[in-house]
Every structure is written in structure tokens, then in C-alpha cells.
Amino acid sequence: MTRALRASAALTAVLASTLVAGNAGSANAAIVAPPDKIVIEIATVNGSGCKPGTAAVAVSQDNTAFTVTYSDYLAQVGGGASPIDFRKNCQLNLIVHVPQGFTYAVASADYRGFASLQNGATAVQKASYYFQGSPDTAAREHPYSGPYNDNWQATDTTEWGQLVWAPCGVKRNFNINTELRVSAGTSDPSTTSFMTMDSTDGEINTIYRLAWKECPA
């Protein structure tokens, strides 16, 4: 599965490694980007929201972000929906090859999709992030209420002092767990409410922005 589902990208950075002015307690105290390249691969992808072949990863040219693209991620209730369709999830286990001497953390993440919620229905988008073998987990969630029939966008942002950094000198896979959950609530059960992280005319991109710093010598 690891090789069959792997989607990798490796692009040379166009910015040299420079420190941004600021003190250690500031979000500006990050390295702009490492001078070499990073490679991100999908080791495994599991979940009802990302069936095999429906998730891919690409790295930005300046190494400060990566994008996960979903093509089949839908949670729904009511109408002819299956009882198990109210919740969809996806766990991405990523192998991140980082230039020597650097470490990284996910500073922010943008999620996008479309939701159609009947009056009385609710939905939530949730995400959590952690490194393999680490007890530190960052989790965020964003609720929505009907009536709602529009695109949605949610942003998770972490302050510099709360960032969860990859351990220096040790390879640890990075895990991203996302979830869409829809509840009929007091809405008419014969009507359908749904929330997606996909699109009928393309694909929805989830963008993760990275913070960088140099490891101790």
C-alpha cells in the first residue's frame, strides 16, 4: 500500500536560509525555508473520506507549505444517505525528508469545501496533528449550522510557543487526522444535509504552512 499510494514531490527552494528578525518567543523567529529541498511522501492513507488513490501531496516551491488534495471526501445525513455516512475521516501518515540541520512544525492549515445544511442540521470539521511516538497532539475543530448552502473555509493557526516540532536528528512520520461530521439535528429527516472536502468540478486543496528552525549543533 505504501508504494501504491505514494504521492511525492521534491522542488528546489528558491530562497536562501536566513533568520527572520525577532526574539525566540516570537512567531517571527523562524527560518524562512531550508536551503535544500524537502520531499513529502504519503506512507499510508486510511479512512472513509480518503479511499485509495483519492489523496495526493505536493510541496510548494519555497518549501514553506505543502498541499493535500482530496477527490472523494463527503459526509451526509438524511434522505437516502447510509446510516454510517454521517461521519467521514482521513488519516494521512506522511514521511517528511527534511534537509540536515533543520526541523519543522505545522504553523497553520487551511481547509476548504462545500456544505449544504438544512435548517436545524449541524456539521463540524476537525483536524489533529502529531508526530509518530510523540504524546503532543494539536487539535482544532470548526462548527457549522444550518441553514447553510455555500463554500466553507476553516483555518487552524498555532502560536509560535505552542508549535509541535519534529524531533531533531530522528525520523518521525507526521500524522494528520481530519474528520467531517454531519448531524440531522431538528431538520426534516427526509431531506439531505452534507459537507464535503471535494468538488464535482475539480479537487479541493488543503494547504499546510510550515515553520522552520535550525537544530542545535
Side-chain angles (χ1 to χ4, degrees), residues 11-20 30-40 59-65 96-105 165 209-215:
L11 297 171
T12 303
V14 297
L15 297 178
S17 171
T18 55
L19 276 182
V20 177
I31 297 293
V32 171
D36 205 345
K37 63 185 179 181
I38 59 173
V39 178
I40 297 178
V59 183
S60 69
Q61 189 173 9
D62 63 2
N63 288 0
T64 60
V96 183
H97 303 275
V98 181
Q100 186 174 2
F102 287 86
T103 185
Y104 73 96
W165 296 94
R209 294 179 179 83
L210 302 178
W212 295 94
K213 70 176 181 179
E214 289 180 307
C215 290

Side-chain angles (χ1 to χ4, degrees), residues 40-43 57 66 92-96 173-176:
I40 297 178
E41 304 174 51
I42 298 180
V57 177
F66 64 93
L92 295 174
N93 184 271
L94 304 178
I95 303 171
V96 183
N173 287 9
F174 183 58
N175 293 277
I176 302 172

Side-chain angles (χ1 to χ4, degrees), residues 22-107:
N23 57 53
S26 167
N28 291 330
I31 297 293
V32 171
D36 205 345
K37 63 185 179 181
I38 59 173
V39 178
I40 297 178
E41 304 174 51
I42 298 180
T44 58
V45 54
N46 296 293
S48 53
C50 54
K51 298 175 182 178
T54 67
V57 177
V59 183
S60 69
Q61 189 173 9
D62 63 2
N63 288 0
T64 60
F66 64 93
T67 300
V68 179
T69 302
Y70 300 99
S71 59
D72 185 16
Y73 202 153
L74 166 70
Q76 60 181 336
V77 294
S82 167
I84 63 174
D85 286 343
F86 79 98
R87 177 185 178 274
K88 293 296 176 70
N89 76 297
C90 182
Q91 175 169 318
L92 295 174
N93 184 271
L94 304 178
I95 303 171
V96 183
H97 303 275
V98 181
Q100 186 174 2
F102 287 86
T103 185
Y104 73 96
V106 172

Side-chain angles (χ1 to χ4, degrees), residues 117-195:
L117 304 176
Q118 301 296 327
N119 187 29
T122 59
V124 65
Q125 180 271 328
K126 183 178 180 180
S128 60
Y129 320 91
Y130 65 95
F131 290 97
Q132 182 182 16
S134 172
D136 297 324
T137 300
R140 304 285 188 277
E141 64 178 50
H142 304 273
Y144 297 86
S145 299
Y148 189 99
N149 190 57
D150 203 350
N151 295 316
W152 62 269
Q153 178 174 340
T155 299
D156 295 345
T157 302
T158 304
E159 295 297 327
W160 178 263
Q162 302 300 317
L163 291 174
V164 178
W165 296 94
C168 287
V170 180
K171 287 189 176 181
R172 291 285 188 269
N173 287 9
F174 183 58
N175 293 277
I176 302 172
N177 294 324
T178 58
E179 176 183 328
L180 297 179
R181 186 187 297 264
V182 181
S183 173
T186 59
S187 66
D188 184 345
S190 67
T191 61
T192 300
S193 292
F194 67 88
M195 189 175 193

